[in-house]
Amino acid sequence: MTNDPLEQLKLREPDERLDVTGESCPIPEMMTSKRLKRMKVGQVLEVVTDHQPAVDLTLPSLCKNLGYPFLILKEGDVYRFRVLKVA
Amino acid sequence: MANPSMILQPAFREGWIEIYAVFALSGFILGWVAQRGNYCFVNAMTSIFTTRSLERFGAVMILFGVTALGTGTLVVAGLVPVQDQYFFNYFAGWYTLVGSFVFGFGAAIAGGCNLSMLYRASSGYVQNWVELLGMMIGTYVFAVTIWPFQSYTMEKGILSTTTGGYVEYLPYLLFHSTSTYAVLVTSLLLGIPLVALGIYLEQRTRKGWRSKASNVNFPILGAGVKATGGAQTVKPTLITSPEGGGIKDLLLLRRPYGTNLSTVILALDMLLVFLAGAGYTFNYLVITSSDGGRFFEYALIPLGVNLFLTTPWFRDSLTIVDPSTLMVVMLCVGAFIASYLSGDFKVRIPKDRRRLVVGFLGGILVGVGVRMALGCNIGLMWTNFGQLGYDGFIFLLGMLSGVYLAVKVQERW
């Protein structure tokens, strides 16, 4: 297994999924923050959203604040925002 | 000494057609920019408590500060008569604090403040349609249960001022004067610290990002990898930031407006209305909440129910279509066109259907809260900073408290 966080986010199956499709801010950020608090260090969370501002602004802001690497995948109208919880 | 004038005085001698045109344009700009900038007061506050991120809250502080400086400058320059700045200052009282608390809580659990509720409803978010419906019901609930008691306390001055206007105008409170000097000093005292605080909060948050990025030996600021196509077959492209891109991308609606760009445009939009509407009508940005209540009133008329004749608050409020109503409609039009042209428009229903119930209940609280406070985060809080009053501070405190409680409740669900 690679130690590169980006590679991990790309290749690893997420440990948990959070589906917030149809929701707008502040809900995706609040729910993601809540879920991350309950997860263990080293786990990957995948947030599924169709709210563009969440992937453009609020979720990256959340990750930057926590210091967690993230990666965004787009599938049609839906985004898969993956976060690696680090120490 | 004679009391300051409470008679509105136009800045220009334009006709009502021009007034309506400017308000329509202003509403359009508000909806367009808020949609493109994803401007949400509630989100700016929730992020303080969820991640201790103060960047968007800092932008809101800058918005308030620039608005106070801008309206003050227009008055000091003699372009807008001073009474047009304080005329629409509301009564302040216990209900401002309680109402803003209820509003903040409701908006945070429902998924949007009054501004974001409208522009997101126009972008296809069913959650915000439900919230809007809840707000209308909440207005009725308020009218029949709370308003009789609240209006009594307002009349008697029980934990309330008995009049608004210059009585709540900070230049008058500080200097017992509405002179140019008093307005200048007050707008500087109010505006400069707010702008400085906003810039400080933004810088502090970004500094924290850089620090955390170096701690984990990972370039967080450049960490967003955006990939398109199927998750298993993608060829990811490293981007410097999800917000990055050039002016061309902004104009072609390929990327959202940055927070600070939105802040500046929205502040200028407020000043446009302040100048053009002076002497004619409520010369600040939309009174979304009371218009929401009025739409509920209009919707019931075909059913033979006329709240204007039978129900307190509706009886006391305007029932005609005024520039503010047009502004709300154009806000929705601007947001719809912006979302449609950018490809963002889509009817979206929350995956978790229980969220619709929460949105409706939150909307009711939003309706009750804004009516108690005598306005929402736009028509009262932001506006009041432009009015150089103090209700905006009370509302800010109450709303922050309500949002904080909502975040804590949400964390325990």
Side-chain angles (χ1 to χ4, degrees):
Chain A
M1 174 65 75
T2 173
N3 284 329
D4 180 359
L6 281 182
E7 285 300 311
Q8 284 195 50
L9 285 168
K10 265 190 280 184
L11 301 174
R12 266 180 59 183
E13 187 66 18
D15 298 286
E16 291 200 27
R17 275 203 177 82
L18 174 66
D19 192 339
V20 286
T21 48
E23 295 281 4
S24 60
C25 296
I27 303 302
E29 187 186 45
M30 286 168 72
M31 304 287 269
T32 303
S33 168
K34 175 184 167 184
R35 184 65 72 89
L36 281 168
K37 278 181 188 167
R38 293 177 183 175
M39 289 173 61
K40 293 175 186 163
V41 170
Q43 288 190 313
V44 172
L45 170 67
E46 182 175 86
V47 184
V48 184
T49 177
D50 56 358
H51 185 51
Q52 179 85 35
V55 292
D56 283 334
L57 187 67
T58 60
L59 293 179
S61 171
L62 169 75
C63 293
K64 288 173 190 174
N65 243 6
L66 295 170
Y68 297 169
F70 62 93
L71 172 132
I72 307 162
L73 298 169
K74 190 168 191 288
E75 287 182 326
D77 290 342
V78 174
Y79 290 95
R80 296 183 181 279
F81 189 97
R82 290 184 184 170
V83 191
L84 173 64
K85 181 165 181 176
V86 293
Chain B
M1 193 173 71
N3 286 333
S5 168
M6 280 298 282
I7 300 171
L8 288 173
Q9 185 68 40
F12 306 110
R13 295 286 172 189
E14 67 269 42
W16 276 104
I17 290 175
E18 287 85 355
I19 296 288
Y20 273 91
V22 170
F23 274 61
L25 173 68
S26 178
F28 186 91
I29 293 171
L30 180 60
W32 179 287
V33 174
Q35 200 280 336
R36 294 313 300 147
N38 187 38
Y39 221 81
C40 179
F41 286 66
V42 169
N43 192 222
M45 294 182 187
T46 54
S47 59
I48 298 173
F49 306 120
T50 51
T51 66
R52 305 203 189 288
S53 170
L54 294 157
E55 189 202 21
R56 277 161 275 157
F57 186 71
V60 171
M61 293 298 101
I62 293 172
L63 179 71
F64 293 164
V66 172
T67 302
L69 289 170
T71 55
T73 302
L74 289 172
V75 171
V76 169
L79 290 169
V80 176
V82 68
Q83 56 267 39
D84 293 328
Q85 186 168 41
Y86 61 70
F87 185 89
F88 290 103
N89 257 338
Y90 301 122
F91 294 24
W94 63 272
Y95 39 83
T96 316
L97 188 62
V98 176
S100 54
F101 175 82
V102 173
F103 166 75
F105 181 81
I109 63 166
C113 63
N114 265 50
L115 176 62
S116 53
M117 173 178 66
L118 286 173
Y119 78 72
R120 286 190 187 131
S122 309
S123 305
Y125 288 88
V126 174
Q127 175 80 6
N128 297 105
W129 298 357
V130 171
E131 185 188 359
L132 186 57
L133 178 65
M135 192 190 87
M136 292 179 183
I137 304 294
T139 305
Y140 180 76
V141 171
F142 163 82
V144 296
T145 59
I146 300 171
W147 178 240
F149 168 71
Q150 181 175 330
S151 58
Y152 175 79
T153 64
M154 289 165 73
E155 281 169 22
K156 301 293 179 189
I158 302 168
L159 294 176
S160 165
T161 56
T162 53
T163 182
Y166 66 86
V167 174
E168 299 193 8
Y169 192 44
L170 287 175
Y172 188 76
L173 288 171
L174 293 174
F175 302 101
H176 215 67
S177 162
T178 58
S179 67
T180 302
Y181 171 79
V183 175
L184 175 66
V185 173
T186 308
S187 67
L188 292 175
L189 283 175
L190 190 62
I192 289 176
L194 283 169
V195 172
L197 175 66
I199 292 171
Y200 168 74
L201 294 177
E202 285 190 344
Q203 295 301 321
R204 189 184 149 194
T205 302
R206 287 179 186 143
K207 191 177 166 190
W209 291 349
R210 287 192 289 272
S211 162
K212 279 174 180 147
S214 60
N215 284 345
V216 294
N217 193 27
F218 187 78
I220 297 289
L221 287 173
V225 174
K226 210 169 195 171
T228 55
Q232 303 305 317
T233 59
V234 292
K235 291 182 179 174
T237 309
L238 192 68
I239 56 172
T240 53
S241 160
E243 294 175 70
I247 292 174
K248 189 179 169 189
D249 285 342
L250 269 184
L251 295 175
L252 294 175
L253 307 181
R254 286 184 192 142
R255 74 176 179 97
Y257 295 175
T259 308
N260 285 338
L261 173 64
S262 307
T263 297
V264 171
I265 300 174
L266 292 178
L268 291 174
D269 196 27
M270 174 70 95
L271 298 181
L272 171 69
V273 175
F274 180 65
L275 185 62
Y280 284 84
T281 183
F282 183 80
N283 55 329
Y284 296 93
L285 285 179
V286 287
I287 323 174
T288 51
S289 50
S290 58
D291 282 317
R294 282 190 233 168
F295 290 142
F296 180 61
E297 184 182 340
Y298 302 151
L300 291 182
I301 289 174
L303 303 175
V305 179
N306 197 331
L307 297 176
F308 178 67
L309 296 175
T310 59
T311 312
W313 187 80
F314 289 97
R315 205 164 45 212
D316 306 331
S317 69
L318 295 171
T319 55
I320 56 168
V321 175
D322 62 8
S324 177
T325 315
L326 178 64
M327 192 185 271
V328 173
V329 173
M330 290 305 291
L331 186 164
C332 297
V333 171
F336 168 73
I337 294 177
S339 66
Y340 184 78
L341 292 179
S342 64
D344 190 42
F345 183 86
K346 185 180 123 188
V347 175
R348 297 168 167 91
I349 303 171
K351 197 89 169 177
D352 182 355
R353 297 290 192 271
R354 290 172 302 179
R355 286 286 309 148
L356 291 173
V357 177
V358 174
F360 180 70
L361 295 175
I364 290 177
L365 293 177
V366 166
V368 170
V370 292
R371 290 280 44 87
M372 279 185 81
L374 306 181
C376 66
N377 56 310
I378 305 296
L380 195 146
M381 183 168 66
W382 177 17
T383 286
N384 198 249
F385 283 95
Q387 291 170 320
L388 303 185
Y390 58 80
D391 293 12
F393 286 105
I394 300 174
F395 195 105
L396 181 62
L397 179 66
M399 188 176 167
L400 273 170
S401 307
V403 168
Y404 174 78
L405 181 65
V407 169
K408 292 299 158 194
V409 168
Q410 196 106 350
E411 281 176 355
R412 289 175 195 279
W413 276 352

